[in-house]
Amino acid sequence: MKSKWIMLLLTTIVIKIFGVPLVVPAEATNAITETKTIVTKQKSCSSCHDDFTHVLSKEHPSVKGNLLSSCTDCHAPEEGGMAKTNKFDATIHLSHLKSPIEADCLDCHTFDPGKQFSLTETTESFGSPSEDDMALLREIFTSVVESNFLDARHYSGNITCTSCHDKDILGENTVENRRCLDCHGPLAELVAKTTPLEFSDRNPHNSHLGEINCTVCHAGHAESKIYCLECHPKFEMKLP
């Protein structure tokens, strides 16, 4: 009997000191489990790869560790609007989007709707897309894998989003002509290359309308069209 009173006294003291019951309510247990679930959903390279040796070519220097930061030490995220190839960016996206992997954006990126969209384990931000923007991003990247549009053609040539768009890839910006001409120009050479042997005045790159946006004809994520044919339907003109 004496021992029971001692145990009761000790229990009372514990509750007084810590202010919590000894039995954890079911709600608290659920909350703990839910928090753990959220944490495990935030993946990184180590969630799928024990190391990178089986995904890198034999010519690639050895990589220590299996975190994304092991890659970004050399392959830093690009700034927007740099018209150049990026094999790392293109390869890592295409390899994770193709079946049977079909990874989700948030396996490698962190997303705070309307605030930030970043690469896991880095502080680089790619704008502040909304949830609707993220849905559009998923749609675009799915298209990149196998579409008949220019997005797939460019990506297969290691030309990635930031080669044409600003870093805030879903911001209010259009692809400027100068970025197209960084790869396909200069304009004088493009005009000479596309001048028809017959009817030399029918050159879309030397239009009587003056300088027009390349995107009037060349769409990245939709079917391209020949703008000239809207007024001159009898012209024989084809997209390359």
Side-chain angles (χ1 to χ4, degrees):
M1 179 68 70
K2 184 177 179 181
S3 61
K4 288 183 179 180
W5 281 105
I6 293 174
M7 287 298 296
L8 180 62
L9 179 62
L10 288 173
T11 301
T12 305
I13 293 171
V14 168
I15 294 173
K16 288 286 187 181
I17 293 174
F18 295 101
V20 293
L22 294 179
V23 179
V24 180
E27 295 85 353
T29 305
N30 292 338
I32 293 170
T33 305
E34 190 173 314
T35 302
K36 287 182 179 179
T37 303
I38 292 171
V39 170
T40 54
K41 283 184 178 179
Q42 296 175 354
K43 297 181 181 179
S44 67
C45 299
S46 57
S47 302
C48 300
H49 302 286
D50 293 330
D51 57 62
F52 295 139
T53 55
H54 63 291
V55 295
L56 297 174
S57 66
K58 294 180 181 179
E59 294 76 22
H60 195 285
S62 61
V63 177
K64 294 181 180 179
N66 58 351
L67 299 178
L68 190 56
S69 55
S70 302
C71 301
T72 54
D73 283 344
C74 295
H75 302 284
E78 296 285 3
E79 293 294 331
M82 300 180 73
K84 62 180 183 179
T85 59
N86 185 334
K87 187 174 182 180
F88 171 74
D89 193 328
T91 301
I92 203 168
H93 275 113
L94 292 178
S95 63
H96 286 80
L97 288 168
K98 289 182 178 179
S99 180
I101 299 174
E102 295 180 355
D104 183 76
C105 302
L106 300 186
D107 288 340
C108 298
H109 292 276
T110 56
F111 171 50
D112 190 356
K115 294 183 179 179
Q116 191 176 32
F117 179 59
S118 302
L119 192 59
T120 303
E121 301 163 7
T122 72
T123 58
E124 187 77 12
S125 177
F126 299 96
S128 50
S130 65
E131 291 186 1
D132 288 342
D133 291 333
M134 277 301 299
L136 179 58
L137 269 177
R138 285 187 173 94
E139 181 181 332
I140 289 172
F141 273 92
T142 302
S143 169
V144 159
V145 178
E146 54 188 12
S147 83
N148 294 318
F149 306 142
L150 288 179
D151 53 6
R153 186 185 297 187
H154 280 82
Y155 236 89
S156 63
N158 300 325
I159 302 293
T160 57
C161 302
T162 51
S163 295
C164 299
H165 296 278
D166 286 331
K167 185 170 64 173
D168 186 358
I169 56 178
L170 284 175
E172 294 183 2
N173 71 90
T174 58
V175 178
E176 299 175 358
N177 287 359
R178 63 177 177 83
R179 290 184 182 158
C180 300
L181 293 173
D182 281 347
C183 295
H184 301 286
L187 182 59
E189 291 184 8
L190 183 61
V191 168
K193 184 179 179 180
T194 56
T195 299
L197 295 177
E198 188 178 8
F199 306 113
S200 60
D201 59 327
R202 299 180 186 178
N203 190 332
H205 299 111
N206 188 23
S207 171
H208 62 85
L209 298 175
E211 183 178 353
I212 59 176
N213 290 335
C214 300
T215 51
V216 168
C217 293
H218 304 284
H221 310 293
E223 187 175 356
S224 296
K225 61 182 181 180
I226 301 175
Y227 184 61
C228 303
L229 298 181
E230 294 189 11
C231 294
H232 308 283
K234 294 184 179 181
F235 281 6
E236 291 186 8
M237 304 177 76
K238 295 180 180 180
L239 286 165

